[in-house]
Amino acid sequence: MELVSPSREYEDVFLEFLDDIKRFDAPNAEFYEPACSSFPKYVKSLIDESRGVNLPKGYVPCHHYWFLNEQGKIVGVLRIRHHINTPFLSHEGGHIGYDVAPSYREQGYGTQMLKHGLSKAKTLGLEQVLITADDDNIASRKVIEANGGVLEQVVMGRFFPCLVAKYWVKCH
């Protein structure tokens, strides 16, 4: 299993990942919708974001990775923000965000993906990262804790009104 950078060569398996999200986790599909209209443009936007180029207002530089299983399927995606110097990111967004495709949940992929992501974060110069999860998202909280996450506090989201568990995790 490996984390790979977005590339046009993964179009078919990325669209399978997106279809899985659309069918079984529709609220999270919106983030990936631009891939449907123009996959090359979508990949370019992710690469630009990692370089801090053409960032939408309020965004920070962010590396995107796709997590491939042994069969070459994208089982999850990971985002590593270079810093969290915005009100949203420092309060409830955090350094790292991730999604596991619904068909691959509860199989340990999230834990493995985050472990690889912490290594990538270290190469970006991050010593520790803030990772958040909705307070009631027990699966995500277990992934964070399995990777050494230490709960700082549970806060009410300012941008999305729900309870958010904030964890600090050392990069290794």
Side-chain angles (χ1 to χ4, degrees):
M1 292 191 267
E2 65 178 324
L3 282 179
V4 297
S5 295
S7 168
R8 292 170 63 176
E9 73 181 275
Y10 299 110
E11 181 172 5
D12 291 342
V13 290
F14 185 85
L15 294 176
E16 286 176 24
F17 163 84
L18 177 55
D19 183 59
D20 194 9
I21 295 278
K22 283 181 180 179
R23 288 186 298 136
F24 302 111
D25 190 6
N28 284 321
E30 181 180 326
F31 183 76
Y32 305 106
E33 276 300 315
C36 294
S37 57
S38 172
F39 193 77
K41 185 177 177 181
Y42 177 69
V43 168
K44 182 183 180 319
S45 73
L46 298 181
I47 293 168
D48 282 354
E49 196 172 325
S50 71
R51 296 177 180 152
V53 176
N54 300 318
L55 294 176
K57 184 176 173 67
Y59 277 53
V60 302
C62 175
H63 273 74
H64 296 260
Y65 296 98
W66 298 338
F67 194 54
L68 302 178
N69 67 6
E70 298 86 0
Q71 292 76 39
K73 300 292 185 183
I74 295 175
V75 298
V77 298
L78 185 81
R79 297 169 293 284
I80 304 174
R81 298 170 191 101
H82 298 194
H83 64 81
I84 56 171
N85 299 339
T86 71
F88 170 69
L89 294 177
S90 64
H91 186 71
E92 62 197 89
H95 287 96
I96 296 179
Y98 55 87
D99 292 304
V100 176
S103 296
Y104 294 99
R105 291 179 183 164
E106 298 184 19
Q107 298 176 39
Y109 288 116
T111 300
Q112 293 175 51
M113 181 171 58
L114 182 54
K115 180 180 178 184
H116 288 276
L118 291 168
S119 177
K120 294 281 189 184
K122 180 104 173 148
T123 67
L124 292 172
L126 299 170
E127 294 297 322
Q128 67 174 357
V129 292
L130 175 66
I131 306 176
T132 65
D134 288 351
D135 186 49
D136 62 355
N137 187 341
I138 302 304
S140 188
R141 292 184 68 174
K142 285 181 177 180
V143 165
I144 297 166
E145 291 168 2
N147 278 282
V150 176
L151 181 65
E152 176 186 59
Q153 63 183 330
V154 176
V155 298
M156 178 54 73
R158 295 180 189 146
F159 297 88
F160 298 104
C162 66
L163 290 174
V164 177
K166 297 174 68 171
Y167 288 88
W168 286 96
V169 185
K170 290 186 180 184
C171 299
H172 50 273

